[in-house]
Amino acid sequence: MVHELAEYERAPDECHLTTDQLTAALFSASPALFGHVAVDERDEPVGFALWFLNFSTWAGVHGIYLEDLYVRPAARGTGAGRLLLATLADICVRRGYRRLEWWMIDWNPAAGFYASIGAQQMSEWVPYRLSGDALRELASQATAANTRSGD
């Protein structure tokens, strides 16, 4: 379903996740990625949520960052997405986490659904990303500094 999500987000060529990678991320001895799957009455998967912990230095507690939420088109409007989010909200409440956060592509029609459950769009924070050549260039500066300092 991750590849279905990539197709939906108009970026199928950017998704390189393999079954082995996902299995290792979810089921290693100390996983850093967690997931939930929504199923229909026939026990067929219709949606998923993949998430990991973040941490608020101001609040002093963890929160959940929802990396991906996807419900197959035929199952949209059935409550599957709401139940996936409710499950994550329940984890937050039970564990004392203060936040459940995610990013959404600006053209996604799910904005209305998110507003209906009380989610607030954050406009004062701007996302940044470092990847590719720029990531490698910055990393090389750390490598050079560690080599000079004997680390």
Coordinates of all heavy atoms in Angstrom, one line a residue, residues 54-150:
N54 N 8.6 11.4 18.2 CA 9.4 12.6 18.2 C 9.5 13.0 19.7 O 9.0 12.4 20.6 CB 8.8 13.6 17.3 CG 7.3 14.0 17.6 OD1 6.8 13.8 18.7 ND2 6.7 14.7 16.7
F55 N 10.1 14.2 19.9 CA 10.2 14.7 21.3 C 10.1 16.2 21.3 O 10.7 16.9 20.4 CB 11.6 14.2 21.8 CG 11.8 14.6 23.3 CD1 11.2 13.7 24.3 CD2 12.4 15.7 23.7 CE1 11.4 14.1 25.6 CE2 12.6 16.0 25.0 CZ 12.0 15.2 26.0
S56 N 9.4 16.7 22.2 CA 9.3 18.2 22.4 C 10.2 18.6 23.5 O 10.0 18.2 24.7 CB 7.8 18.6 22.7 OG 7.8 19.9 23.1
T57 N 11.2 19.3 23.2 CA 12.1 19.8 24.2 C 11.4 20.8 25.1 O 11.7 21.0 26.3 CB 13.4 20.5 23.6 OG1 13.0 21.5 22.7 CG2 14.2 19.4 22.9
W58 N 10.4 21.5 24.6 CA 9.7 22.5 25.5 C 8.7 21.8 26.4 O 8.6 22.1 27.6 CB 8.9 23.5 24.6 CG 9.8 24.4 23.9 CD1 11.2 24.3 23.7 CD2 9.4 25.6 23.2 NE1 11.6 25.4 23.0 CE2 10.6 26.2 22.6 CE3 8.2 26.2 23.0 CZ2 10.5 27.4 21.9 CZ3 8.2 27.4 22.2 CH2 9.3 28.0 21.7
A59 N 8.0 20.8 25.9 CA 7.1 20.0 26.8 C 7.8 19.0 27.6 O 7.3 18.5 28.6 CB 6.0 19.4 25.9
G60 N 8.9 18.5 27.1 CA 9.7 17.5 27.9 C 9.1 16.1 27.7 O 9.4 15.2 28.6
V61 N 8.3 15.9 26.7 CA 7.7 14.5 26.5 C 7.7 14.2 25.0 O 7.8 15.0 24.1 CB 6.3 14.5 27.0 CG1 6.2 14.7 28.5 CG2 5.4 15.4 26.3
H62 N 7.6 12.9 24.8 CA 7.5 12.4 23.4 C 6.1 12.8 22.8 O 5.2 13.1 23.5 CB 7.6 10.9 23.4 CG 9.0 10.4 23.5 ND1 10.0 10.5 22.5 CD2 9.6 9.7 24.5 CE1 11.1 10.0 22.9 NE2 10.9 9.5 24.1
G63 N 6.1 12.6 21.5 CA 4.8 12.7 20.8 C 4.9 11.7 19.6 O 5.9 11.0 19.5
I64 N 3.9 11.6 18.9 CA 3.9 10.8 17.7 C 3.9 11.6 16.4 O 3.2 12.6 16.3 CB 2.6 9.9 17.7 CG1 2.7 8.8 18.7 CG2 2.4 9.2 16.3 CD1 1.5 7.9 18.8
Y65 N 4.8 11.3 15.5 CA 4.8 11.9 14.2 C 4.3 10.8 13.2 O 4.9 9.7 13.1 CB 6.2 12.3 13.8 CG 6.2 12.9 12.4 CD1 5.7 14.2 12.2 CD2 6.4 12.2 11.3 CE1 5.6 14.8 11.0 CE2 6.3 12.7 10.0 CZ 5.9 14.0 9.9 OH 5.8 14.6 8.6
L66 N 3.2 11.2 12.6 CA 2.6 10.3 11.6 C 3.2 10.5 10.3 O 3.1 11.5 9.7 CB 1.1 10.6 11.6 CG 0.3 9.8 10.5 CD1 0.3 8.3 10.7 CD2 -1.2 10.4 10.5
E67 N 4.0 9.5 9.9 CA 4.8 9.7 8.6 C 3.8 9.5 7.4 O 3.9 10.2 6.5 CB 5.9 8.6 8.5 CG 6.6 8.6 7.2 CD 7.4 9.9 7.0 OE1 7.7 10.7 7.9 OE2 7.8 10.1 5.8
D68 N 3.0 8.5 7.5 CA 2.0 8.2 6.4 C 0.7 7.7 6.9 O 0.7 6.8 7.8 CB 2.6 7.2 5.4 CG 3.7 7.8 4.5 OD1 3.5 8.9 4.0 OD2 4.8 7.1 4.4
L69 N -0.4 8.2 6.4 CA -1.7 7.7 6.6 C -2.3 7.5 5.2 O -2.3 8.4 4.4 CB -2.6 8.6 7.4 CG -4.0 8.2 7.6 CD1 -4.1 7.0 8.5 CD2 -4.8 9.4 8.1
Y70 N -2.8 6.3 5.0 CA -3.3 6.0 3.6 C -4.5 5.0 3.8 O -4.5 4.1 4.5 CB -2.3 5.3 2.7 CG -2.8 5.0 1.4 CD1 -3.1 5.9 0.4 CD2 -3.1 3.6 1.0 CE1 -3.6 5.6 -0.8 CE2 -3.6 3.3 -0.2 CZ -3.8 4.3 -1.1 OH -4.3 4.0 -2.4
V71 N -5.6 5.4 3.1 CA -6.8 4.5 3.1 C -7.1 4.4 1.6 O -7.1 5.3 0.8 CB -8.0 5.2 3.8 CG1 -9.2 4.3 3.6 CG2 -7.7 5.3 5.3
R72 N -7.2 3.1 1.2 CA -7.5 2.8 -0.2 C -8.8 3.5 -0.7 O -9.8 3.7 0.1 CB -7.6 1.3 -0.4 CG -6.3 0.6 -0.4 CD -6.4 -0.8 -0.6 NE -5.1 -1.3 -0.9 CZ -4.6 -2.6 -0.7 NH1 -5.5 -3.5 -0.1 NH2 -3.4 -2.9 -1.0
P73 N -8.9 4.0 -1.9 CA -10.0 4.8 -2.4 C -11.4 4.1 -2.1 O -12.3 4.8 -1.6 CB -9.8 4.9 -3.9 CG -8.3 4.9 -4.0 CD -7.8 3.9 -2.9
A74 N -11.5 2.8 -2.2 CA -12.8 2.1 -2.0 C -13.2 2.2 -0.6 O -14.4 2.0 -0.3 CB -12.7 0.7 -2.5
A75 N -12.3 2.4 0.3 CA -12.6 2.3 1.8 C -12.7 3.7 2.4 O -13.0 3.9 3.6 CB -11.5 1.5 2.5
R76 N -12.5 4.8 1.6 CA -12.6 6.1 2.1 C -14.0 6.4 2.5 O -14.9 6.0 1.8 CB -12.0 7.1 1.1 CG -10.5 6.9 1.0 CD -9.9 7.9 0.0 NE -8.5 7.4 -0.2 CZ -7.8 7.7 -1.2 NH1 -8.3 8.4 -2.2 NH2 -6.5 7.2 -1.3
G77 N -14.2 7.1 3.6 CA -15.5 7.4 4.1 C -16.1 6.3 4.9 O -17.2 6.4 5.4
T78 N -15.4 5.2 5.2 CA -15.9 4.1 6.0 C -15.5 4.3 7.5 O -16.0 3.5 8.3 CB -15.3 2.8 5.5 OG1 -13.9 2.8 5.7 CG2 -15.7 2.5 4.0
G79 N -14.7 5.2 7.8 CA -14.2 5.4 9.1 C -12.9 4.8 9.4 O -12.3 4.9 10.5
A80 N -12.3 4.2 8.4 CA -11.0 3.5 8.6 C -9.9 4.5 8.9 O -9.1 4.3 9.9 CB -10.6 2.8 7.3
G81 N -9.8 5.6 8.3 CA -8.8 6.7 8.6 C -9.0 7.3 9.9 O -8.1 7.5 10.7
R82 N -10.3 7.5 10.3 CA -10.6 8.1 11.6 C -10.2 7.1 12.7 O -9.6 7.5 13.7 CB -12.1 8.3 11.7 CG -12.5 8.9 13.1 CD -14.0 9.1 13.2 NE -14.4 10.2 12.3 CZ -14.5 11.5 12.7 NH1 -14.2 11.8 13.9 NH2 -14.8 12.4 11.8
L83 N -10.4 5.8 12.5 CA -10.0 4.8 13.5 C -8.5 4.7 13.6 O -8.0 4.5 14.7 CB -10.6 3.4 13.1 CG -10.4 2.3 14.2 CD1 -10.9 2.7 15.6 CD2 -11.1 1.0 13.7
L84 N -7.8 4.8 12.5 CA -6.3 4.8 12.6 C -5.8 6.0 13.4 O -5.0 5.8 14.3 CB -5.7 4.8 11.2 CG -5.8 3.5 10.4 CD1 -5.5 3.7 8.9 CD2 -4.9 2.4 11.0
L85 N -6.4 7.1 13.1 CA -6.0 8.3 13.9 C -6.4 8.2 15.3 O -5.7 8.6 16.2 CB -6.5 9.6 13.2 CG -5.8 10.0 12.0 CD1 -6.6 11.2 11.3 CD2 -4.4 10.4 12.2
A86 N -7.6 7.7 15.6 CA -8.1 7.5 17.0 C -7.1 6.6 17.7 O -6.9 6.8 18.9 CB -9.5 7.0 17.0
T87 N -6.6 5.5 17.1 CA -5.7 4.6 17.7 C -4.4 5.3 18.1 O -3.9 5.1 19.2 CB -5.4 3.4 16.7 OG1 -6.6 2.7 16.4 CG2 -4.4 2.5 17.3
L88 N -3.9 6.2 17.2 CA -2.7 6.9 17.6 C -3.0 7.9 18.7 O -2.1 8.1 19.6 CB -2.1 7.6 16.3 CG -1.7 6.7 15.2 CD1 -1.1 7.5 14.1 CD2 -0.8 5.6 15.7
A89 N -4.1 8.6 18.6 CA -4.5 9.5 19.7 C -4.6 8.8 21.0 O -4.1 9.3 22.1 CB -5.8 10.2 19.4
D90 N -5.1 7.6 21.0 CA -5.2 6.8 22.2 C -3.8 6.4 22.8 O -3.6 6.5 24.0 CB -6.0 5.5 22.0 CG -6.2 4.6 23.2 OD1 -6.7 5.1 24.2 OD2 -5.7 3.5 23.2
I91 N -2.9 6.1 21.9 CA -1.5 5.8 22.4 C -1.0 7.1 23.0 O -0.3 7.0 24.1 CB -0.7 5.3 21.2 CG1 -1.1 4.0 20.7 CG2 0.8 5.3 21.6 CD1 -0.5 3.5 19.4
C92 N -1.2 8.2 22.4 CA -0.7 9.5 23.0 C -1.2 9.7 24.4 O -0.5 10.0 25.3 CB -1.0 10.6 22.1 SG -0.1 10.8 20.5
V93 N -2.5 9.6 24.5 CA -3.2 9.8 25.8 C -2.7 8.8 26.8 O -2.3 9.2 28.0 CB -4.7 9.8 25.6 CG1 -5.4 9.8 27.0 CG2 -5.2 11.0 24.8
R94 N -2.7 7.6 26.5 CA -2.3 6.5 27.5 C -0.8 6.7 27.9 O -0.5 6.4 29.1 CB -2.5 5.1 26.9 CG -4.0 4.7 26.9 CD -4.2 3.2 26.5 NE -3.8 3.0 25.2 CZ -2.7 2.3 24.7 NH1 -1.9 1.8 25.6 NH2 -2.5 2.1 23.4
R95 N 0.0 7.1 27.0 CA 1.5 7.2 27.3 C 1.9 8.6 27.8 O 3.0 8.9 28.1 CB 2.3 6.9 26.1 CG 2.2 5.4 25.7 CD 3.1 5.1 24.5 NE 2.9 3.8 24.0 CZ 3.5 3.3 23.0 NH1 4.4 4.0 22.3 NH2 3.3 2.0 22.6
G96 N 0.9 9.5 27.9 CA 1.3 10.9 28.3 C 1.9 11.8 27.3 O 2.5 12.8 27.6
Y97 N 1.8 11.4 26.0 CA 2.4 12.2 24.9 C 1.4 13.4 24.7 O 0.2 13.3 24.8 CB 2.5 11.4 23.6 CG 3.3 10.2 23.7 CD1 3.2 9.2 22.7 CD2 4.2 9.9 24.7 CE1 4.0 8.1 22.6 CE2 5.0 8.8 24.7 CZ 4.9 7.9 23.7 OH 5.6 6.7 23.6
R98 N 2.0 14.5 24.3 CA 1.1 15.7 24.2 C 0.7 16.0 22.7 O -0.1 16.8 22.5 CB 1.9 16.9 24.7 CG 2.1 16.8 26.2 CD 1.8 18.1 26.9 NE 2.1 18.0 28.3 CZ 2.8 19.0 28.9 NH1 3.2 20.0 28.2 NH2 3.1 18.9 30.1
R99 N 1.4 15.4 21.8 CA 1.1 15.8 20.4 C 1.1 14.6 19.5 O 1.8 13.6 19.6 CB 2.3 16.6 19.9 CG 2.4 17.9 20.6 CD 3.6 18.7 20.0 NE 3.8 20.0 20.7 CZ 5.0 20.6 20.6 NH1 6.0 20.1 20.0 NH2 5.1 21.7 21.3
L100 N 0.2 14.7 18.5 CA 0.1 13.8 17.3 C 0.2 14.8 16.1 O -0.7 15.6 15.9 CB -1.2 13.0 17.3 CG -1.6 12.3 16.0 CD1 -0.5 11.3 15.7 CD2 -2.9 11.5 16.2
E101 N 1.3 14.6 15.4 CA 1.5 15.6 14.3 C 1.8 14.9 13.0 O 2.2 13.7 13.0 CB 2.8 16.4 14.6 CG 2.6 17.2 15.9 CD 3.9 18.0 16.2 OE1 5.0 17.4 16.2 OE2 3.8 19.2 16.5
W102 N 1.5 15.6 11.9 CA 1.8 15.0 10.5 C 1.9 16.2 9.6 O 1.4 17.3 9.9 CB 0.8 14.0 10.1 CG -0.6 14.6 10.0 CD1 -1.2 15.1 8.9 CD2 -1.6 14.6 11.0 NE1 -2.5 15.5 9.1 CE2 -2.8 15.2 10.4 CE3 -1.7 14.3 12.4 CZ2 -4.0 15.4 11.2 CZ3 -2.8 14.5 13.1 CH2 -4.0 15.0 12.5
W103 N 2.4 15.9 8.4 CA 2.4 16.8 7.2 C 1.4 16.3 6.2 O 1.2 15.1 6.1 CB 3.8 16.9 6.6 CG 4.8 17.6 7.5 CD1 5.5 17.1 8.5 CD2 5.1 19.0 7.5 NE1 6.3 18.1 9.1 CE2 6.0 19.3 8.5 CE3 4.7 20.1 6.7 CZ2 6.6 20.5 8.8 CZ3 5.2 21.3 7.0 CH2 6.1 21.5 8.0
M104 N 0.9 17.2 5.4 CA 0.0 16.8 4.3 C 0.3 17.6 3.1 O 0.6 18.8 3.2 CB -1.5 17.1 4.8 CG -2.5 16.6 3.8 SD -4.1 17.3 4.1 CE -4.0 19.0 3.6
I105 N 0.2 17.0 1.9 CA 0.4 17.7 0.7 C -0.8 18.7 0.6 O -1.9 18.4 0.9 CB 0.4 16.7 -0.5 CG1 1.6 15.9 -0.5 CG2 0.2 17.5 -1.8 CD1 1.7 14.9 -1.6
D106 N -0.4 19.9 0.1 CA -1.4 21.0 0.2 C -2.7 20.8 -0.7 O -3.7 21.3 -0.4 CB -0.8 22.4 -0.2 CG -0.2 22.4 -1.5 OD1 -0.3 21.5 -2.3 OD2 0.4 23.5 -1.9
W107 N -2.6 19.9 -1.7 CA -3.8 19.7 -2.5 C -4.6 18.5 -2.1 O -5.7 18.2 -2.6 CB -3.4 19.5 -4.0 CG -2.3 18.4 -4.2 CD1 -1.0 18.6 -4.4 CD2 -2.5 17.0 -4.2 NE1 -0.3 17.4 -4.5 CE2 -1.2 16.4 -4.4 CE3 -3.6 16.2 -4.1 CZ2 -1.0 15.0 -4.5 CZ3 -3.4 14.8 -4.2 CH2 -2.1 14.3 -4.4
N108 N -4.2 17.8 -1.0 CA -4.9 16.6 -0.5 C -6.3 17.0 0.0 O -6.5 17.8 0.9 CB -4.1 16.0 0.6 CG -4.6 14.6 1.0 OD1 -5.8 14.3 0.9 ND2 -3.7 13.8 1.4
P109 N -7.4 16.4 -0.5 CA -8.7 16.7 -0.1 C -9.0 16.2 1.3 O -10.1 16.5 1.9 CB -9.6 15.9 -1.1 CG -8.8 14.9 -1.7 CD -7.4 15.4 -1.6
A110 N -8.1 15.5 2.0 CA -8.3 15.1 3.4 C -8.2 16.3 4.3 O -8.5 16.1 5.5 CB -7.2 14.0 3.7
A111 N -7.9 17.4 3.9 CA -7.8 18.6 4.8 C -9.2 18.8 5.5 O -9.2 19.1 6.7 CB -7.4 19.9 4.0
G112 N -10.3 18.6 4.8 CA -11.6 18.8 5.4 C -11.8 17.7 6.5 O -12.4 18.0 7.6
F113 N -11.4 16.5 6.2 CA -11.5 15.4 7.2 C -10.7 15.8 8.5 O -11.2 15.7 9.6 CB -11.0 14.1 6.6 CG -10.7 13.0 7.7 CD1 -11.7 12.6 8.5 CD2 -9.5 12.5 7.8 CE1 -11.4 11.6 9.5 CE2 -9.2 11.6 8.7 CZ -10.1 11.1 9.6
Y114 N -9.4 16.2 8.3 CA -8.6 16.6 9.4 C -9.2 17.7 10.2 O -9.2 17.7 11.4 CB -7.2 16.9 8.9 CG -6.4 15.8 8.3 CD1 -5.5 16.0 7.3 CD2 -6.6 14.5 8.8 CE1 -4.8 15.0 6.7 CE2 -5.9 13.4 8.2 CZ -5.0 13.7 7.2 OH -4.3 12.6 6.6
A115 N -9.7 18.7 9.6 CA -10.4 19.8 10.3 C -11.6 19.3 11.1 O -11.8 19.7 12.2 CB -10.8 20.9 9.3
S116 N -12.3 18.3 10.5 CA -13.5 17.8 11.2 C -13.2 17.1 12.5 O -14.1 16.9 13.3 CB -14.3 16.9 10.2 OG -13.7 15.6 10.1
I117 N -12.0 16.6 12.6 CA -11.6 15.9 13.9 C -10.9 16.8 14.8 O -10.4 16.4 15.9 CB -10.8 14.6 13.6 CG1 -9.5 14.9 12.9 CG2 -11.6 13.6 12.8 CD1 -8.5 13.8 12.9
G118 N -10.8 18.1 14.4 CA -10.1 19.1 15.3 C -8.7 19.3 15.1 O -8.0 20.1 15.9
A119 N -8.1 18.8 14.0 CA -6.7 19.0 13.7 C -6.5 20.5 13.2 O -7.4 21.0 12.5 CB -6.2 18.1 12.7
Q120 N -5.5 21.1 13.6 CA -5.2 22.5 13.2 C -4.0 22.6 12.3 O -3.0 22.0 12.6 CB -4.9 23.4 14.5 CG -6.1 23.4 15.4 CD -5.7 24.1 16.7 OE1 -4.6 24.2 17.1 NE2 -6.7 24.6 17.4
Q121 N -4.2 23.3 11.2 CA -3.1 23.5 10.3 C -2.1 24.4 10.9 O -2.4 25.5 11.4 CB -3.6 24.1 9.0 CG -2.6 24.2 7.9 CD -3.1 24.7 6.6 OE1 -4.3 25.0 6.5 NE2 -2.3 24.9 5.6
M122 N -0.8 24.0 10.8 CA 0.2 24.8 11.4 C 0.8 25.7 10.2 O 1.3 25.1 9.3 CB 1.3 23.9 12.0 CG 0.8 23.0 13.0 SD 0.2 23.8 14.5 CE 1.7 24.5 15.2
S123 N 0.8 27.0 10.4 CA 1.3 27.8 9.3 C 2.5 28.5 9.6 O 3.2 29.0 8.7 CB 0.2 28.8 8.8 OG -0.2 29.6 9.9
E124 N 2.9 28.6 10.9 CA 4.0 29.4 11.3 C 5.3 28.6 11.2 O 6.4 29.2 11.3 CB 3.9 30.0 12.7 CG 3.8 29.0 13.8 CD 2.4 28.5 14.1 OE1 1.5 28.6 13.3 OE2 2.3 27.8 15.2
W125 N 5.3 27.3 11.0 CA 6.5 26.5 10.9 C 6.7 26.1 9.4 O 5.8 25.7 8.7 CB 6.3 25.2 11.7 CG 6.3 25.6 13.2 CD1 5.1 25.7 13.9 CD2 7.3 25.8 14.1 NE1 5.4 26.1 15.2 CE2 6.8 26.1 15.3 CE3 8.7 25.8 13.9 CZ2 7.6 26.4 16.4 CZ3 9.5 26.1 15.0 CH2 8.9 26.4 16.3
V126 N 7.9 26.3 9.0 CA 8.2 26.0 7.6 C 9.1 24.7 7.5 O 10.2 24.7 8.2 CB 9.0 27.2 6.9 CG1 9.4 26.9 5.5 CG2 8.1 28.4 7.0
P127 N 8.8 23.7 6.7 CA 9.6 22.5 6.7 C 10.9 22.8 5.9 O 10.9 23.6 4.9 CB 8.7 21.5 5.9 CG 7.8 22.4 5.1 CD 7.6 23.6 5.9
Y128 N 12.0 22.1 6.3 CA 13.2 22.1 5.6 C 13.6 20.7 5.4 O 13.3 19.8 6.2 CB 14.3 22.9 6.4 CG 14.2 24.4 6.4 CD1 13.3 25.0 7.2 CD2 15.0 25.1 5.5 CE1 13.2 26.4 7.1 CE2 14.9 26.5 5.4 CZ 14.0 27.1 6.2 OH 13.9 28.5 6.2
R129 N 14.4 20.5 4.4 CA 14.9 19.1 4.1 C 16.3 19.2 3.5 O 16.5 20.1 2.6 CB 14.0 18.4 3.1 CG 14.5 17.0 2.7 CD 13.6 16.3 1.8 NE 12.3 16.0 2.5 CZ 11.2 15.7 2.0 NH1 11.1 15.7 0.7 NH2 10.1 15.4 2.7
L130 N 17.2 18.4 4.0 CA 18.5 18.3 3.5 C 18.6 16.9 2.9 O 18.4 15.9 3.6 CB 19.5 18.5 4.6 CG 21.0 18.8 4.3 CD1 21.1 20.0 3.3 CD2 21.8 19.0 5.5
S131 N 19.0 16.7 1.6 CA 19.1 15.4 1.0 C 20.1 15.5 -0.1 O 20.6 16.5 -0.5 CB 17.7 14.9 0.5 OG 17.2 15.8 -0.4
G132 N 20.3 14.3 -0.7 CA 21.2 14.2 -1.9 C 22.6 14.8 -1.7 O 23.2 14.6 -0.7
D133 N 23.0 15.5 -2.7 CA 24.4 16.1 -2.7 C 24.6 17.0 -1.5 O 25.7 17.1 -0.9 CB 24.7 16.8 -4.0 CG 24.8 15.9 -5.2 OD1 25.0 14.7 -5.0 OD2 24.7 16.3 -6.3
A134 N 23.6 17.9 -1.2 CA 23.7 18.8 -0.1 C 23.9 18.0 1.2 O 24.7 18.5 2.1 CB 22.5 19.7 0.0
L135 N 23.2 17.0 1.4 CA 23.4 16.1 2.6 C 24.8 15.6 2.7 O 25.4 15.6 3.7 CB 22.3 15.0 2.6 CG 22.3 14.1 3.8 CD1 22.0 14.8 5.1 CD2 21.4 12.9 3.6
R136 N 25.2 15.0 1.6 CA 26.6 14.4 1.6 C 27.6 15.5 1.8 O 28.6 15.2 2.5 CB 26.8 13.7 0.2 CG 26.0 12.3 0.2 CD 26.3 11.5 -1.1 NE 25.6 12.1 -2.3 CZ 24.4 11.9 -2.6 NH1 23.6 11.2 -1.8 NH2 23.8 12.4 -3.7
E137 N 27.5 16.6 1.2 CA 28.4 17.7 1.4 C 28.5 18.1 2.9 O 29.6 18.3 3.4 CB 28.1 18.9 0.5 CG 28.9 20.2 0.8 CD 30.4 19.9 0.5 OE1 30.8 19.1 -0.3 OE2 31.2 20.6 1.2
L138 N 27.4 18.3 3.5 CA 27.4 18.7 4.9 C 28.0 17.5 5.7 O 28.8 17.8 6.7 CB 26.0 19.0 5.4 CG 26.0 19.6 6.8 CD1 26.8 20.8 7.0 CD2 24.5 19.8 7.2
A139 N 27.7 16.3 5.5 CA 28.3 15.2 6.2 C 29.8 15.1 6.0 O 30.5 14.8 7.0 CB 27.6 13.9 5.7
S140 N 30.3 15.5 4.9 CA 31.7 15.4 4.6 C 32.4 16.4 5.5 O 33.6 16.2 5.9 CB 32.1 15.7 3.2 OG 31.9 17.0 2.8
Q141 N 31.8 17.5 5.9 CA 32.4 18.5 6.8 C 32.5 17.9 8.2 O 33.5 18.2 8.9 CB 31.5 19.8 6.8 CG 31.5 20.5 5.5 CD 30.6 21.6 5.4 OE1 30.2 22.2 6.4 NE2 30.1 21.9 4.2
A142 N 31.6 17.1 8.6 CA 31.7 16.4 9.9 C 32.8 15.4 9.9 O 33.6 15.3 10.8 CB 30.4 15.8 10.3
T143 N 32.9 14.6 8.8 CA 33.9 13.6 8.7 C 35.3 14.3 8.7 O 36.2 13.8 9.4 CB 33.7 12.9 7.3 OG1 32.4 12.3 7.4 CG2 34.8 11.8 7.2
A144 N 35.5 15.4 8.0 CA 36.7 16.1 8.0 C 37.1 16.6 9.4 O 38.2 16.5 9.8 CB 36.7 17.3 7.0
A145 N 36.1 17.2 10.1 CA 36.3 17.7 11.4 C 36.7 16.6 12.4 O 37.6 16.7 13.2 CB 35.1 18.5 11.9
N146 N 36.0 15.4 12.3 CA 36.3 14.3 13.1 C 37.7 13.7 12.9 O 38.4 13.3 13.8 CB 35.3 13.2 13.0 CG 34.0 13.6 13.6 OD1 33.9 14.4 14.5 ND2 32.9 13.0 13.1
T147 N 38.1 13.8 11.6 CA 39.5 13.3 11.2 C 40.6 14.2 11.8 O 41.5 13.7 12.4 CB 39.6 13.2 9.7 OG1 38.6 12.4 9.2 CG2 41.0 12.7 9.3
R148 N 40.3 15.5 11.8 CA 41.3 16.4 12.3 C 41.4 16.3 13.8 O 42.5 16.5 14.4 CB 41.0 17.9 11.9 CG 41.3 18.1 10.5 CD 41.2 19.6 10.2 NE 39.9 20.2 10.5 CZ 38.8 20.3 9.7 NH1 39.0 19.8 8.5 NH2 37.7 20.8 10.0
S149 N 40.3 16.1 14.5 CA 40.3 16.1 16.0 C 40.6 14.7 16.5 O 40.7 14.5 17.7 CB 38.9 16.5 16.5 OG 37.9 15.5 16.2
G150 N 40.8 13.7 15.6 CA 41.2 12.4 16.1 C 40.1 11.5 16.5 O 40.3 10.4 17.1

